Amino acid sequence: MNAHGQTHQDSRRIPPFLRGGFRPFFLGGAVWAMVVVALWILAMAGKLALPTHFDPLAWHRHEMLFGYLGAIIAGFLLTAIPNWTGRPPVAGSRLACLAALWLLARVAILFSTITGAVLAIALDVGFLVLLAVMAAHEVLAAKNRNLLVVFAVSLFAVANALDHVEALGVGVPAGLGWRLGFAIVLLLVSLIGGRIIPAFTRNWLTKAGEGGRLPPQMNRFDIAALAVTVASLLAWAALPDARVSGALLIAAGLLQTARLARWSGLRTWREPIVLILHISYAWLPLGLLLLGGSYFIWCIPVSAAMHALSAGAMASMTLAVMTRASLGHTGRELRADGWTQAIYALVTAGAALRFAAPMLPFDYGSTIAAAGTLWGASFLLFVLAYGPKLLGPRPDGKP
């Protein structure tokens, strides 16, 4: 039997759930997002004391950033690398060990006052370091050009460690770890979104027979927008009080607005699985403009800007990619059914309410609880609708 046939035969011996990184990490990440939101709401209401070395808000922020988003980055990266390199995917026992390490880290952090912070840090940072090593091995073996994404994961591990160190009271600049992690995720949204959104939009417009101009491929304008966005977010992470950071954030927001406008998003209104990519990305320039504007206009709430970027850009973009990748890589039609459209509606509504909470004439605590409920419901629907797809085999029988 040839090598290709042997690979397919071996893959059939692997349980479906461990045949691709998107399966355990997308499902596990979605479940963990629900858990984090539920525990945080209970902690904020004074009904639960979290046994972690983080304070409740810092734990919530850390686990959404390095826990949930760490899982989604792992799922995306391990699924994209075979497409980039032509090499077999990380699967089976290697994938199971990596997923188990991620899960152990989540439990160890939550109970770190009992198990000890050192163990929690070792597991948490170790997961990202191992992910970066595995990704680098695959990319280098294929002499692929996507080492920039591997470097971003490595820097994400450094940011994770800094966030832990600060929680232990060691003298590092306040908030540097989470701001650096935040910046890296937003840069990945900008980089990867800038690749896939115009490409998927071009494909759909061409297939649908839509006339008119198609979204351009990445060019010098996109590179300039990315460069300014990198500079602005790194300046904000390192110098959060400097007005030059605010000016750079505004410049990045304007360039990202122009970038999004070139992708013909309004023309995709008939195809929710494409439209949601544009809606998700729109939170990025909005958040950058508001965050930059808060340096110069006192009435702009910083929390509104931060939640436009987190609950908006990060969460809705990840769910948009998770649903699309889960359908495509399990051999299903790339179409948003009623469940999927409900996921998009709930995450967008939750993000909008959380973004607007500081500006609404309602009780703030009740408003963010309602926003968290809507936002968490989107992940619950993902688990219910996509869990069986991620756990089971492809309907076409392919490995």
Side-chain angles (χ1 to χ4, degrees), residues 272-273 276 319-320 323-324 336 339-349:
I273 204 166
I276 188 60
L319 276 172
T323 52
R324 186 182 185 100
W339 284 82
T340 304
Q341 291 181 48
I343 292 169
Y344 299 158
L346 285 168
V347 73
T348 302

Side-chain angles (χ1 to χ4, degrees), residues 164-186:
H164 277 291
V165 168
E166 183 186 350
L168 293 177
V170 178
V172 297
L176 176 60
W178 73 260
R179 285 195 305 275
L180 180 59
F182 211 84
I184 292 165
V185 173
L186 291 174

Side-chain angles (χ1 to χ4, degrees), residues 162-239:
L162 288 171
D163 201 40
H164 277 291
V165 168
E166 183 186 350
L168 293 177
V170 178
V172 297
L176 176 60
W178 73 260
R179 285 195 305 275
L180 180 59
F182 211 84
I184 292 165
V185 173
L186 291 174
L187 291 174
L188 287 174
V189 168
S190 183
L191 175 64
I192 297 170
R195 290 181 183 178
I196 66 173
I197 297 174
F200 292 159
T201 303
R202 281 195 303 272
N203 292 344
W204 184 82
L205 290 173
T206 301
K207 184 178 178 181
E210 293 279 341
R213 188 175 181 179
L214 296 176
Q217 296 186 3
M218 186 173 287
N219 54 29
R220 291 179 179 177
F221 177 80
D222 294 277
I223 294 172
L226 278 169
V228 175
T229 303
V230 169
S232 69
L233 288 170
L234 293 182
W236 168 73
L239 303 168

Side-chain angles (χ1 to χ4, degrees), residues 104-165:
L104 286 172
R106 310 282 60 84
V107 176
I109 292 172
L110 180 57
F111 295 97
S112 56
T113 57
I114 301 170
T115 61
V118 173
L119 175 62
I121 296 169
L123 292 170
D124 197 22
V125 178
F127 161 71
L128 290 173
V129 170
L130 182 57
L131 173 64
V133 169
M134 293 172 72
H137 174 267
E138 296 297 314
V139 170
L140 289 172
K143 298 180 181 179
N144 188 262
R145 62 184 177 87
N146 281 288
L147 274 174
L148 180 60
V149 178
V150 177
F151 173 74
V153 175
S154 303
L155 196 56
F156 197 55
V158 173
N160 188 348
L162 288 171
D163 201 40
H164 277 291
V165 168

